[in-house]
Amino acid sequence: MRNLKRTLSLALAGVMLMGMMVIGAGAASKDFTDAGDIKNVEAVDVMVALGVLEGGDKGDFQPNSILTREQAAKIICYLLLGEEAAEKLATSGAVFSDVAADRWSAPYIGYCVNLGILAGDGSGHFFPEGKLTGAAFAKMLLVALGYDPKIENYTGSAWTINVAADAIEAGISPKGLVLTNELSRQDAAQMAYQTLTATMVKYDNKGIDIDFGTGSGSVSVGASTAEPVKATKAGGYLTVEKDNDEYVQFCEKYFSDLTLNAKGEDAFGRPANVWTYEKDEVGTYAKAADASYTDAVKSGTLYTDLGLSKTTPATVVADGGSDTTTFSIEKSNSTKTGGKGVLTEAYVDADKNVTLVQINTYVGQVSKVATADDVKKDEKPYIEIDGLSNVVYGGKFETAVEYAEDDIVLYTYDKSEKKVMSVALAEKVEDLELTSTTGSTKFVAGGTTYEYNATAAVYGGRLKDSINVYLDTNGYVVYVEKYEAGSTNYAFVLDTKQNNDGWNGSKNTYEAKLLLTDGSVVVVDTDKKKATENTFVSYTVDDNDVYTLTAKDKTSTAGSKIEVSKGTSKFTADAAYYANSSTIFLVHDNVNDEYVVYTGIANMPTMNGAATVYVNTKNGAPNSVASIVYISAADTVVSDANKGLVYIIAGSESDLINDADKGEYYTYNAVVDGETTTINVAKDAKLSADVLASKLTYNSKDLVTNITAYSTEGDDKAISGTGTLKTTDGTVGLQGAYYTYAENVVVYKIEDNEFNKVSVTSIREDADDTFNAVIKDGEVVAIFITVVEA
């Protein structure tokens, strides 16, 4: 008989998982058709098991519908009397003018009014369908616990303040719930659930009531303070005997067959509550973790978040498997555990032992649906799942939620029992074009960068594929499927050919070399007549793969110079042609003989120089917006905008990215002109070590193709070495020598391949750290210090 009070209101009410919800075994909530909307799973399951709450006629629970006054009266009766006795309540007549004697709720309202738990408006009205606030329901629950509404001042203008204070003290007010707001069914379930473990109270003396008359109300005076009710026998609802206290909790008085093992463990190895009623298990529910993550987490981060004071070996349990591993949690250690989309929950016991429970989210496809009409009377509806992840699991899962065959779903899996534990529909993002891939970690489609869930299989298709993407609850990709998308059916004619056959050309055939709007170049057979080179066409294809080409609007030449810069829609130097967000640019790199496509002027790289330009407009005249543009130009454009200072961290190199527009490249963390940024470096310019540079050379695809290292000679030079000395009196020590530094000197410390801008005065003596610095006219103007762990 333990007085949990605030402990339960904070701990049990806060039980939730980041990402996909993993519900308890034997739970009732998953049998509702709207199970996915239930957040207070443990509370709903316990209340349903006790018969206090039930679902609707359609098999749903309606967790977010607002509780009414008459529904609250029924809940209180079922809490105080139990399901069987509450159902036998009857009424002999109408208590209120708006509550008929034969109304379904009349017996419950009458019972609560007689106990002083509920009251009307003083004019004979009860308003049974009126919506209830959290404070009003808390008042009812407090009275059920034994609190006297007159003694505790639950009436009058300050009643909500008094009720709220006592509700928090008693442990029945869920954390984060605003009691003055209207109350949902599932929040009512949570409050009733927390009432189960709250302590009953009584008064040695209730004093006397003084009635002020004339409708002014009454007040109780001389009453004693509410005191907890002491138990008359040992034991209680907690299965671990020593954890019970000397007082009576609500569930011990009204539900003596309800027990709680508060030191249980769920299928995944997490500390859990295990509820049992009348010897039947209600469910197992994981407790709130001390820290939770859905991405890979560093050892040092765990050390800080868990408040550890020494290196601690943590036991790692993955998907409930019996084979555990050990992960060392150390201060300032960057070793990681977990992964993207992997729920890692850390638990610290009283002896500072740490357990890391890791739960993967897998993706599968529904292969079978068995509804209530398909199964035997004593069986539950279920689905069968075929796994689609790298590690393929699957199986049967009982659920009343409606799924269709071939649905793509997320699920969790208990490796020990080889059992699907929870299921949810995966979020689908449709009709995307794959434009870039970065190794096996991420890709770009539809202008958005997507990262893979740790269990996902990497998509093996090609750039420009039309795909649908399925996401887990944290936004990571679990599955990618290809579909056939329609073509824009536009092209630029690069070349044509006539094949003579037969006498007098009676059987001539024609070919055309086309640049399609997806950037591909094809040689096709055309019908009847020779196409015109350097024109834009639309096309159709017959069953014999013969193309019919039709001139599209007007094709015009637009001079011999291209000028594309950010912030302006004009893109030609010799004639005034403009572009917008829908303009398609077909760009020919005539040095490497490569083609790249850009949609929208904002996505075009900066280009300035000689070029052959063709534009397609409605009338062919200047001062109009082009729908399609063909540009043939030299590949390289050199930018001197970064001539001041560039530093690139080689260790920050990404996986190789294969982009449909840009080609193959790596990304690196860099400082350019004193600003931290990320740069794209062509595959052939891959870095082997950090570099301090004075200039970057870009091509027309905004890729760095050459890096000019900073000179080590002259009045503007770079120096490098090992070891720093403390900054003092306007000088900084680098490899045993002191240098004066400029007033606006910039200093970056590099740790874990990331930049951290610091003050020059923060530099301290460290014999292991390495540095690169720039000296201009005898003063240090920039310093990059790489922190080396001793």
Side-chain angles (χ1 to χ4, degrees):
M1 282 163 280
R2 184 185 180 199
N3 188 358
L4 297 180
K5 291 189 176 179
R6 291 189 180 88
T7 303
L8 269 176
S9 71
L10 295 177
L12 298 186
V15 173
M16 68 177 197
L17 295 175
M18 296 175 65
M20 205 175 153
M21 184 172 289
V22 183
I23 61 178
S29 58
K30 72 176 183 180
D31 294 331
F32 293 117
T33 57
D34 50 4
D37 297 329
I38 300 175
K39 62 178 182 179
N40 299 333
V41 175
E42 184 173 355
V44 170
D45 286 350
V46 173
M47 288 298 108
V48 170
L50 296 179
V52 174
L53 290 173
E54 60 184 359
D57 295 337
K58 297 181 180 179
D60 56 355
F61 184 73
Q62 301 174 26
N64 297 316
S65 65
I66 302 302
L67 194 70
T68 64
R69 285 168 56 80
E70 61 184 343
Q71 290 170 348
K74 180 181 177 181
I75 291 174
I76 295 298
C77 289
Y78 275 64
L79 280 172
L80 293 175
L81 299 173
E83 183 177 8
E84 184 177 353
E87 288 179 351
K88 293 179 180 179
L89 283 175
T91 182
S92 57
V95 180
F96 297 99
S97 60
D98 55 356
V99 181
D102 60 353
R103 188 181 180 91
W104 71 266
S105 59
Y108 310 127
I109 293 171
Y111 185 83
C112 289
V113 169
N114 288 335
L115 292 182
I117 295 174
L118 282 171
D121 66 348
S123 300
H125 303 99
F126 181 75
F127 306 108
E129 295 180 356
K131 295 178 179 180
L132 204 73
T133 65
F137 192 55
K139 174 184 175 180
M140 298 169 68
L141 294 172
L142 287 169
V143 175
L145 284 169
Y147 291 90
D148 188 286
K150 290 184 178 179
I151 296 174
E152 304 301 338
N153 294 318
Y154 295 165
T155 58
S157 60
W159 76 271
T160 54
I161 297 175
N162 297 328
V163 165
D166 286 352
I168 294 171
E169 178 63 25
I172 68 171
S173 178
K175 183 180 180 181
L177 184 68
V178 180
L179 293 178
T180 54
N181 289 346
E182 293 176 345
L183 190 68
S184 69
R185 276 172 52 84
Q186 65 175 327
D187 284 336
Q190 184 67 40
M191 293 181 70
Y193 164 81
Q194 291 179 210
T195 300
L196 292 175
T197 54
T199 301
M200 300 294 298
V201 300
K202 67 176 184 177
Y203 300 85
D204 292 335
N205 177 15
K206 286 197 173 185
I208 60 173
D209 290 338
I210 300 176
D211 193 336
F212 296 110
T214 64
S216 298
S218 62
V219 65
S220 181
V221 296
S224 61
T225 303
E227 298 290 342
V229 177
K230 287 194 174 183
T232 57
K233 60 181 180 180
Y237 76 99
L238 293 170
T239 58
V240 179
E241 192 65 33
K242 65 183 180 65
D243 290 341
N244 289 296
D245 64 13
E246 58 182 318
Y247 302 112
V248 178
Q249 274 70 59
F250 185 92
C251 63
E252 293 167 352
K253 179 174 181 178
Y254 294 105
F255 299 96
S256 58
D257 290 331
L258 180 68
T259 59
L260 169 63
N261 176 7
K263 296 184 177 179
E265 188 175 277
D266 77 350
F268 293 108
R270 296 173 294 189
N273 292 326
V274 183
W275 287 95
T276 302
Y277 183 55
E278 296 179 340
K279 298 183 179 180
D280 292 328
E281 183 176 320
V282 175
T284 301
Y285 309 90
K287 294 187 177 182
D290 294 294
S292 295
Y293 311 89
T294 54
D295 198 349
V297 57
K298 293 180 181 179
S299 172
T301 300
L302 282 164
Y303 186 96
T304 300
D305 291 351
L306 298 178
L308 302 179
S309 58
K310 63 179 181 180
T311 297
T312 303
T315 300
V316 182
V317 183
D319 288 334
S322 56
D323 296 330
T324 61
T325 58
T326 301
F327 180 76
S328 182
I329 301 179
E330 304 173 14
K331 186 177 182 180
S332 302
N333 190 317
S334 59
T335 304
K336 295 181 179 181
T337 185
K340 296 187 183 304
V342 179
L343 175 63
T344 298
E345 295 190 302
Y347 294 88
V348 185
D349 67 17
D351 298 321
K352 292 292 184 180
N353 297 313
V354 179
T355 300
L356 299 178
V357 177
Q358 295 182 335
I359 304 173
N360 288 288
T361 294
Y362 298 100
V363 62
Q365 190 167 31
V366 177
S367 57
K368 181 179 180 180
V369 177
T371 66
D373 296 331
D374 301 323
V375 298
K376 295 179 181 179
K377 189 174 181 179
D378 57 344
E379 294 180 343
K380 295 181 178 180
Y382 67 88
I383 60 174
E384 290 184 1
I385 300 170
D386 293 334
L388 297 174
S389 301
N390 271 332
V391 183
V392 179
Y393 304 109
K396 179 179 176 181
F397 182 72
E398 292 181 346
T399 178
V401 177
E402 292 185 7
Y403 291 98
E405 287 189 10
D406 298 327
D407 275 350
I408 303 298
V409 295
L410 311 171
Y411 66 97
T412 57
Y413 190 82
D414 176 6
K415 287 183 179 178
S416 293
E417 297 296 326
K418 297 182 178 180
K419 180 180 179 182
V420 175
M421 297 302 295
S422 62
V423 177
L425 199 64
E427 179 186 350
K428 183 180 181 181
V429 185
E430 300 182 279
D431 302 335
L432 303 177
E433 182 182 89
L434 180 65
T435 56
S436 172
T437 61
T438 304
S440 60
T441 60
K442 58 186 176 181
F443 61 86
V444 177
T448 300
T449 299
Y450 294 95
E451 296 182 278
Y452 284 106
N453 177 290
T455 66
V458 176
Y459 178 65
R462 296 182 175 183
L463 297 179
K464 295 292 184 179
D465 278 355
S466 297
I467 59 175
N468 296 323
V469 175
Y470 293 86
L471 308 176
D472 67 15
T473 53
N474 298 295
Y476 296 116
V477 175
V478 290
Y479 184 64
V480 180
E481 67 179 2
K482 181 181 178 181
Y483 73 95
E484 295 300 325
S487 168
T488 54
N489 289 341
Y490 296 129
F492 183 76
V493 181
L494 297 171
D495 199 358
T496 60
K497 181 181 179 182
Q498 177 177 308
N499 300 310
N500 296 318
D501 194 9
W503 293 101
N504 300 317
S506 60
K507 295 184 179 179
N508 288 348
T509 59
Y510 304 94
E511 294 179 3
K513 184 178 181 181
L514 305 178
L515 171 59
L516 306 183
T517 54
D518 65 357
S520 60
V521 176
V522 295
V523 176
V524 301
D525 294 326
T526 62
D527 67 345
K528 296 183 180 179
K529 61 181 180 179
K530 184 179 178 181
T532 303
E533 296 176 11
N534 298 324
T535 59
F536 295 97
V537 295
S538 61
Y539 63 86
T540 58
V541 187
D542 66 18
D543 293 338
N544 296 316
D545 289 332
V546 175
Y547 282 58
T548 298
L549 307 182
T550 304
K552 175 176 168 52
D553 299 327
K554 297 285 290 185
T555 300
S556 306
T557 58
S560 59
K561 186 176 182 182
I562 188 76
E563 287 185 350
V564 179
S565 59
K566 302 298 182 184
T568 178
S569 61
K570 182 174 177 290
F571 60 89
T572 53
D574 300 328
Y577 286 98
Y578 298 88
N580 58 24
S581 60
S582 299
T583 302
I584 299 172
F585 288 88
L586 308 175
V587 181
H588 178 215
D589 169 4
N590 58 29
V591 173
N592 299 301
D593 195 24
E594 295 178 346
Y595 296 90
V596 62
V597 178
Y598 301 94
T599 300
I601 185 67
N603 295 315
M604 277 285 286
T606 299
M607 299 181 70
N608 189 346
T612 300
V613 184
Y614 291 92
V615 297
N616 181 257
T617 61
K618 285 290 184 182
N619 55 22
N623 296 308
S624 56
V625 175
S627 57
I628 309 178
V629 180
Y630 173 79
I631 301 171
S632 182
D635 172 68
T636 301
V637 178
V638 177
S639 171
D640 291 322
N642 55 6
K643 60 185 178 182
L645 186 66
V646 179
Y647 191 93
I648 310 171
I649 305 175
S652 67
E653 179 182 280
S654 69
D655 291 333
L656 182 64
I657 299 171
N658 186 6
D659 186 277
D661 296 329
K662 295 179 180 295
E664 293 183 307
Y665 66 93
Y666 299 94
T667 66
Y668 294 90
N669 292 337
V671 168
V672 178
D673 266 351
E675 299 293 333
T676 56
T677 186
T678 300
I679 61 172
N680 301 329
V681 177
K683 179 181 177 182
D684 293 340
K686 173 183 169 76
L687 273 68
S688 59
D690 287 10
V691 60
L692 180 60
S694 60
K695 186 170 68 175
L696 302 179
T697 301
Y698 291 88
N699 64 15
S700 61
K701 302 165 189 175
D702 276 346
L703 297 183
V704 175
T705 56
N706 187 64
I707 302 169
T708 303
Y710 220 101
S711 173
T712 56
E713 298 179 353
D715 294 332
D716 184 357
K717 65 181 180 180
I719 63 171
S720 61
T722 302
T724 60
L725 297 173
K726 181 179 179 181
T727 302
T728 179
D729 297 329
T731 61
V732 59
L734 302 173
Q735 199 169 356
Y738 277 95
Y739 300 84
T740 59
Y741 54 83
E743 183 178 354
N744 59 347
V745 62
V746 292
V747 181
Y748 288 90
K749 282 193 174 182
I750 303 167
E751 193 168 7
D752 292 334
N753 295 316
E754 294 182 354
F755 291 103
N756 181 27
K757 194 171 186 178
V758 298
S759 167
V760 68
T761 57
S762 69
I763 298 176
R764 296 291 184 267
E765 182 174 352
D766 193 303
D768 299 310
D769 290 351
T770 62
F771 69 87
N772 285 271
V774 175
I775 299 177
K776 288 185 178 181
D777 299 324
E779 286 187 326
V780 175
V781 296
I783 308 172
F784 298 88
I785 300 173
T786 301
V787 177
V788 179
E789 293 185 7

